[in-house]
Amino acid sequence: MKKSTRKSLPILIVATIIAFLFLLPLVWMVFTSFKTLSESMASSSILPSAWTMENYLSVFSSVSEAPILRWLFNTAFITAVGTVLVVIVDILAAYSLARLKVPGKKMIMGMVFAALAIPGIVTLFPAFYMFKTAGLLDTYVPLILPYTASTMGVFLMYNFLISFPKDLEEAAYIDGATQWQILYHVIFPSIKPVAMTLGVITFLGIYNDFLWPSLVTNSNDMKTITLGIATLIQGANFVNPAKMMASTVIATIPAIIVFLIANKYIVKSVTNTGIK
Protein backbone atom coordinates (compact mmCIF):
# COMPACT_ATOMS: atom_id res chain seq x y z
CA MET A 1 0.00 0.00 0.00
CA LYS A 2 1.34 3.41 -0.95
CA LYS A 3 2.21 5.94 1.75
CA SER A 4 -0.31 8.47 0.43
CA THR A 5 -3.02 5.80 0.46
CA ARG A 6 -2.22 4.85 4.05
CA LYS A 7 -2.51 8.51 5.09
CA SER A 8 -5.86 8.98 3.39
CA LEU A 9 -7.33 5.68 4.64
CA PRO A 10 -8.41 7.01 8.10
CA ILE A 11 -10.08 10.01 6.41
CA LEU A 12 -11.96 7.69 4.05
CA ILE A 13 -13.11 5.51 6.95
CA VAL A 14 -14.36 8.53 8.94
CA ALA A 15 -16.09 9.97 5.84
CA THR A 16 -17.77 6.60 5.18
CA ILE A 17 -19.05 6.40 8.75
CA ILE A 18 -20.40 9.97 8.62
CA ALA A 19 -22.08 9.31 5.24
CA PHE A 20 -23.64 6.13 6.66
CA LEU A 21 -25.02 8.01 9.67
CA PHE A 22 -26.54 10.67 7.41
CA LEU A 23 -28.06 8.12 5.02
CA LEU A 24 -29.38 5.76 7.70
CA PRO A 25 -32.57 7.78 8.43
CA LEU A 26 -33.33 7.96 4.69
CA VAL A 27 -32.77 4.24 4.26
CA TRP A 28 -34.96 3.50 7.29
CA MET A 29 -37.67 5.80 5.90
CA VAL A 30 -37.72 4.04 2.51
CA PHE A 31 -37.80 0.52 3.93
CA THR A 32 -40.45 1.39 6.53
CA SER A 33 -42.71 2.71 3.77
CA PHE A 34 -42.91 -0.86 2.39
CA LYS A 35 -43.91 -2.43 5.72
CA THR A 36 -47.39 -3.34 6.87
CA LEU A 37 -49.04 -1.36 9.66
CA SER A 38 -48.47 -4.03 12.29
CA GLU A 39 -44.83 -4.57 11.34
CA SER A 40 -44.02 -0.84 11.21
CA MET A 41 -45.33 -0.44 14.77
CA ALA A 42 -43.89 -3.61 16.29
CA SER A 43 -40.74 -4.55 14.37
CA SER A 44 -37.39 -2.85 14.97
CA SER A 45 -35.67 -4.34 11.91
CA ILE A 46 -34.80 -2.10 8.99
CA LEU A 47 -35.81 -4.51 6.22
CA PRO A 48 -39.50 -5.43 6.00
CA SER A 49 -40.36 -9.10 6.34
CA ALA A 50 -43.29 -8.72 3.94
CA TRP A 51 -42.99 -6.06 1.23
CA THR A 52 -46.17 -4.20 0.33
CA MET A 53 -47.21 -1.26 -1.85
CA GLU A 54 -50.38 -0.73 0.17
CA ASN A 55 -49.11 2.45 1.82
CA TYR A 56 -48.34 4.16 -1.50
CA LEU A 57 -51.65 3.07 -3.02
CA SER A 58 -53.46 4.37 0.05
CA VAL A 59 -51.73 7.77 -0.14
CA PHE A 60 -52.62 8.25 -3.81
CA SER A 61 -56.17 6.94 -3.41
CA SER A 62 -57.11 9.32 -0.56
CA VAL A 63 -57.91 12.16 -2.93
CA SER A 64 -60.50 13.92 -0.76
CA GLU A 65 -58.35 13.79 2.38
CA ALA A 66 -54.93 14.11 0.78
CA PRO A 67 -54.87 15.31 -2.86
CA ILE A 68 -51.16 14.59 -3.12
CA LEU A 69 -51.04 14.98 -6.91
CA ARG A 70 -52.57 18.45 -6.50
CA TRP A 71 -49.97 19.26 -3.83
CA LEU A 72 -47.20 18.08 -6.14
CA PHE A 73 -48.57 20.22 -8.97
CA ASN A 74 -48.75 23.28 -6.70
CA THR A 75 -45.20 22.72 -5.52
CA ALA A 76 -43.85 22.11 -9.03
CA PHE A 77 -45.56 25.23 -10.39
CA ILE A 78 -44.46 27.46 -7.50
CA THR A 79 -40.87 26.23 -7.40
CA ALA A 80 -40.44 26.33 -11.19
CA VAL A 81 -41.82 29.86 -11.61
CA GLY A 82 -40.11 31.16 -8.46
CA THR A 83 -36.73 29.67 -9.37
CA VAL A 84 -36.80 30.96 -12.95
CA LEU A 85 -37.78 34.46 -11.79
CA VAL A 86 -35.08 34.53 -9.12
CA VAL A 87 -32.36 33.55 -11.58
CA ILE A 88 -33.51 36.04 -14.25
CA VAL A 89 -34.05 38.96 -11.85
CA ASP A 90 -30.79 38.37 -9.96
CA ILE A 91 -28.72 38.06 -13.14
CA LEU A 92 -30.19 41.26 -14.58
CA ALA A 93 -29.77 43.15 -11.29
CA ALA A 94 -26.19 41.94 -10.76
CA TYR A 95 -25.20 42.66 -14.37
CA SER A 96 -26.66 46.16 -14.19
CA LEU A 97 -24.78 46.93 -10.97
CA ALA A 98 -21.53 45.36 -12.19
CA ARG A 99 -21.41 46.74 -15.74
CA LEU A 100 -23.87 49.58 -16.33
CA LYS A 101 -23.75 53.17 -15.09
CA VAL A 102 -26.55 52.92 -12.55
CA PRO A 103 -27.19 56.08 -10.45
CA GLY A 104 -26.55 55.42 -6.77
CA LYS A 105 -24.83 52.10 -7.46
CA LYS A 106 -22.84 52.13 -4.22
CA MET A 107 -25.92 52.94 -2.16
CA ILE A 108 -27.88 50.13 -3.83
CA MET A 109 -25.12 47.61 -3.16
CA GLY A 110 -24.95 48.84 0.42
CA MET A 111 -28.66 48.15 0.76
CA VAL A 112 -28.16 44.68 -0.73
CA PHE A 113 -25.39 43.94 1.78
CA ALA A 114 -27.52 45.26 4.65
CA ALA A 115 -30.49 43.14 3.54
CA LEU A 116 -28.36 40.01 3.89
CA ALA A 117 -28.20 40.63 7.64
CA ILE A 118 -31.99 40.90 8.06
CA PRO A 119 -33.59 37.61 9.21
CA GLY A 120 -36.38 36.40 6.96
CA ILE A 121 -38.77 36.05 9.91
CA VAL A 122 -38.70 39.84 10.34
CA THR A 123 -40.39 40.42 6.96
CA LEU A 124 -42.73 37.45 7.24
CA PHE A 125 -45.67 39.05 9.04
CA PRO A 126 -45.55 42.44 7.24
CA ALA A 127 -45.68 40.51 3.95
CA PHE A 128 -48.58 38.42 5.27
CA TYR A 129 -50.65 41.47 6.20
CA MET A 130 -49.85 43.10 2.86
CA PHE A 131 -51.23 40.12 0.94
CA LYS A 132 -54.17 39.85 3.36
CA THR A 133 -55.09 43.50 2.81
CA ALA A 134 -54.90 42.98 -0.95
CA GLY A 135 -57.18 39.93 -0.68
CA LEU A 136 -54.62 37.62 -2.26
CA LEU A 137 -54.40 34.94 0.41
CA ASP A 138 -54.98 31.35 -0.67
CA THR A 139 -53.83 32.11 -4.23
CA TYR A 140 -50.62 31.48 -6.16
CA VAL A 141 -49.58 35.14 -5.91
CA PRO A 142 -48.30 35.12 -2.28
CA LEU A 143 -46.77 31.69 -2.87
CA ILE A 144 -44.67 32.96 -5.80
CA LEU A 145 -44.16 36.72 -5.50
CA PRO A 146 -41.93 36.73 -2.35
CA TYR A 147 -39.54 34.34 -4.07
CA THR A 148 -39.03 36.42 -7.22
CA ALA A 149 -35.77 38.02 -6.06
CA SER A 150 -32.95 37.15 -3.70
CA THR A 151 -30.36 39.49 -2.22
CA MET A 152 -28.04 36.53 -1.77
CA GLY A 153 -28.38 35.75 -5.48
CA VAL A 154 -27.61 39.35 -6.46
CA PHE A 155 -24.60 39.35 -4.14
CA LEU A 156 -23.36 36.03 -5.55
CA MET A 157 -23.75 37.06 -9.20
CA TYR A 158 -22.32 40.54 -8.61
CA ASN A 159 -19.12 39.21 -7.04
CA PHE A 160 -18.69 36.79 -9.94
CA LEU A 161 -19.25 39.46 -12.59
CA ILE A 162 -16.89 42.08 -11.14
CA SER A 163 -14.07 39.54 -11.43
CA PHE A 164 -15.14 38.47 -14.92
CA PRO A 165 -12.80 39.89 -17.64
CA LYS A 166 -14.31 42.65 -19.77
CA ASP A 167 -12.19 41.83 -22.84
CA LEU A 168 -14.76 39.39 -24.23
CA GLU A 169 -17.55 41.94 -23.84
CA GLU A 170 -15.49 44.66 -25.51
CA ALA A 171 -14.69 42.32 -28.41
CA ALA A 172 -18.39 41.59 -28.80
CA TYR A 173 -19.14 45.33 -28.81
CA ILE A 174 -16.62 45.81 -31.62
CA ASP A 175 -18.33 43.05 -33.61
CA GLY A 176 -21.62 44.94 -33.32
CA ALA A 177 -23.35 42.91 -30.62
CA THR A 178 -26.07 44.58 -28.58
CA GLN A 179 -26.23 44.65 -24.77
CA TRP A 180 -28.76 41.80 -24.70
CA GLN A 181 -26.73 39.71 -27.14
CA ILE A 182 -23.63 40.12 -24.99
CA LEU A 183 -25.56 39.17 -21.88
CA TYR A 184 -27.06 36.09 -23.49
CA HIS A 185 -24.15 34.84 -25.64
CA VAL A 186 -21.11 35.99 -23.65
CA ILE A 187 -22.03 36.49 -20.01
CA PHE A 188 -24.61 33.80 -19.40
CA PRO A 189 -22.54 30.82 -20.72
CA SER A 190 -19.75 31.87 -18.33
CA ILE A 191 -22.00 32.24 -15.28
CA LYS A 192 -24.13 29.18 -16.06
CA PRO A 193 -22.64 27.05 -13.23
CA VAL A 194 -23.23 29.88 -10.74
CA ALA A 195 -26.75 30.42 -12.08
CA MET A 196 -27.48 26.70 -11.77
CA THR A 197 -26.17 26.70 -8.21
CA LEU A 198 -28.40 29.65 -7.37
CA GLY A 199 -31.31 27.88 -9.05
CA VAL A 200 -30.82 24.68 -7.03
CA ILE A 201 -30.48 26.59 -3.75
CA THR A 202 -33.61 28.59 -4.58
CA PHE A 203 -35.51 25.47 -5.67
CA LEU A 204 -34.71 23.62 -2.45
CA GLY A 205 -35.53 26.69 -0.37
CA ILE A 206 -38.97 27.11 -1.98
CA TYR A 207 -39.65 23.37 -2.04
CA ASN A 208 -38.84 22.87 1.65
CA ASP A 209 -40.53 26.04 2.89
CA PHE A 210 -43.22 25.28 5.43
CA LEU A 211 -43.87 28.40 7.49
CA TRP A 212 -44.79 30.83 4.69
CA PRO A 213 -47.22 28.48 2.84
CA SER A 214 -48.86 27.64 6.17
CA LEU A 215 -49.61 31.35 6.68
CA VAL A 216 -50.96 32.25 3.23
CA THR A 217 -52.96 29.11 2.36
CA ASN A 218 -56.24 27.96 3.85
CA SER A 219 -57.82 25.44 1.48
CA ASN A 220 -56.55 21.91 1.09
CA ASP A 221 -56.17 22.30 -2.70
CA MET A 222 -53.73 25.22 -2.38
CA LYS A 223 -51.26 23.48 -0.08
CA THR A 224 -47.72 22.64 -1.13
CA ILE A 225 -46.37 19.12 -0.74
CA THR A 226 -44.39 20.03 2.39
CA LEU A 227 -47.38 21.62 4.09
CA GLY A 228 -49.72 18.88 2.87
CA ILE A 229 -47.55 16.05 4.16
CA ALA A 230 -47.11 17.84 7.50
CA THR A 231 -50.87 18.16 7.98
CA LEU A 232 -51.40 14.63 6.72
CA ILE A 233 -49.17 12.95 9.28
CA GLN A 234 -50.73 14.99 12.09
CA GLY A 235 -54.12 13.43 11.42
CA ALA A 236 -55.25 9.84 11.54
CA ASN A 237 -52.06 8.68 9.80
CA PHE A 238 -50.03 9.66 12.85
CA VAL A 239 -50.66 6.16 14.20
CA ASN A 240 -49.54 4.58 10.90
CA PRO A 241 -45.73 4.96 10.63
CA ALA A 242 -45.58 3.06 7.33
CA LYS A 243 -48.05 5.39 5.60
CA MET A 244 -46.28 8.41 7.10
CA MET A 245 -42.99 7.22 5.64
CA ALA A 246 -44.57 6.51 2.24
CA SER A 247 -45.91 10.06 2.00
CA THR A 248 -42.54 11.43 3.11
CA VAL A 249 -40.72 9.40 0.44
CA ILE A 250 -43.05 10.80 -2.22
CA ALA A 251 -42.30 14.34 -1.01
CA THR A 252 -38.53 13.71 -0.96
CA ILE A 253 -38.05 12.17 -4.41
CA PRO A 254 -38.44 15.37 -6.55
CA ALA A 255 -35.89 17.30 -4.48
CA ILE A 256 -33.37 14.45 -4.69
CA ILE A 257 -33.81 14.16 -8.47
CA VAL A 258 -33.25 17.90 -8.99
CA PHE A 259 -30.18 17.87 -6.76
CA LEU A 260 -28.64 14.87 -8.56
CA ILE A 261 -29.22 16.45 -11.98
CA ALA A 262 -27.71 19.81 -10.96
CA ASN A 263 -24.92 18.39 -8.78
CA LYS A 264 -22.29 18.66 -11.53
CA TYR A 265 -23.04 22.37 -11.95
CA ILE A 266 -22.67 22.96 -8.21
CA VAL A 267 -19.30 21.19 -8.19
CA LYS A 268 -18.20 23.15 -11.27
CA SER A 269 -19.26 26.43 -9.67
CA VAL A 270 -17.28 25.70 -6.51
CA THR A 271 -14.26 24.62 -8.58
CA ASN A 272 -14.33 27.77 -10.70
CA THR A 273 -14.63 29.94 -7.59
CA GLY A 274 -11.67 28.17 -6.05
CA ILE A 275 -9.57 28.69 -9.20
CA LYS A 276 -10.33 32.42 -9.19
Side-chain angles (χ1 to χ4, degrees):
M1 184 180 293
K2 295 182 180 180
K3 186 176 181 180
S4 59
T5 306
R6 288 199 302 268
K7 287 183 178 180
S8 61
L9 186 60
I11 299 176
L12 292 174
I13 294 174
V14 173
T16 302
I17 294 173
I18 294 175
F20 175 78
L21 293 175
F22 273 99
L23 290 174
L24 184 60
L26 294 175
V27 174
W28 179 82
M29 176 182 70
V30 173
F31 286 142
T32 302
S33 68
F34 292 100
K35 294 180 179 180
T36 60
L37 172 60
S38 58
E39 185 182 3
S40 65
M41 298 185 67
S43 176
S44 59
S45 63
I46 296 180
L47 291 174
S49 58
W51 294 73
T52 178
M53 291 292 295
E54 178 185 354
N55 301 305
Y56 290 94
L57 296 175
S58 177
V59 169
F60 282 106
S61 62
S62 305
V63 179
S64 58
E65 177 189 358
I68 197 164
L69 293 178
R70 173 71 182 188
W71 295 344
L72 287 171
F73 170 79
N74 291 340
T75 305
F77 179 70
I78 293 165
T79 52
V81 175
T83 301
V84 170
L85 288 175
V86 164
V87 173
I88 292 175
V89 172
D90 288 359
I91 289 177
L92 293 177
Y95 181 76
S96 300
L97 293 171
R99 290 290 189 268
L100 306 181
K101 295 181 180 179
V102 179
K105 181 188 301 186
K106 292 184 178 180
M107 184 179 67
I108 295 174
M109 285 308 303
M111 294 172 62
V112 171
F113 296 148
L116 292 173
I118 301 176
I121 193 68
V122 174
T123 61
L124 203 63
F125 292 103
F128 168 76
Y129 282 109
M130 182 180 67
F131 287 114
K132 182 181 179 181
T133 304
L136 295 173
L137 294 181
D138 211 31
T139 65
Y140 286 116
V141 176
L143 289 171
I144 295 175
L145 194 58
Y147 301 119
T148 54
S150 167
T151 51
M152 175 59 73
V154 175
F155 177 76
L156 183 68
M157 293 291 180
Y158 176 81
N159 280 279
F160 187 90
L161 287 173
I162 58 176
S163 60
F164 185 77
K166 296 182 180 180
D167 297 342
L168 296 176
E169 298 173 63
E170 292 174 353
Y173 273 123
I174 295 173
D175 291 338
T178 63
Q179 193 82 56
W180 287 104
Q181 289 173 332
I182 291 173
L183 179 61
Y184 184 77
H185 294 288
V186 178
I187 300 296
F188 184 73
S190 301
I191 65 173
K192 186 177 180 181
V194 183
M196 288 295 297
T197 302
L198 175 62
V200 172
I201 294 173
T202 303
F203 175 90
L204 294 177
I206 299 174
Y207 189 91
N208 294 322
D209 196 4
F210 171 80
L211 182 57
W212 178 246
S214 67
L215 289 175
V216 298
T217 57
N218 298 316
S219 63
N220 206 26
D221 288 339
M222 285 304 300
K223 290 179 180 178
T224 60
I225 188 66
T226 306
L227 179 60
I229 295 300
T231 55
L232 179 64
I233 65 176
Q234 290 172 0
N237 296 313
F238 186 75
V239 296
N240 190 340
K243 191 173 180 179
M244 288 169 56
M245 293 302 105
S247 59
T248 308
V249 169
I250 295 170
T252 306
I253 288 175
I256 294 177
I257 292 175
V258 170
F259 182 81
L260 291 176
I261 293 174
N263 183 54
K264 63 178 182 179
Y265 294 102
I266 298 176
V267 174
K268 188 176 180 180
S269 173
V270 174
T271 304
N272 291 343
T273 305
I275 292 174
K276 288 185 178 183

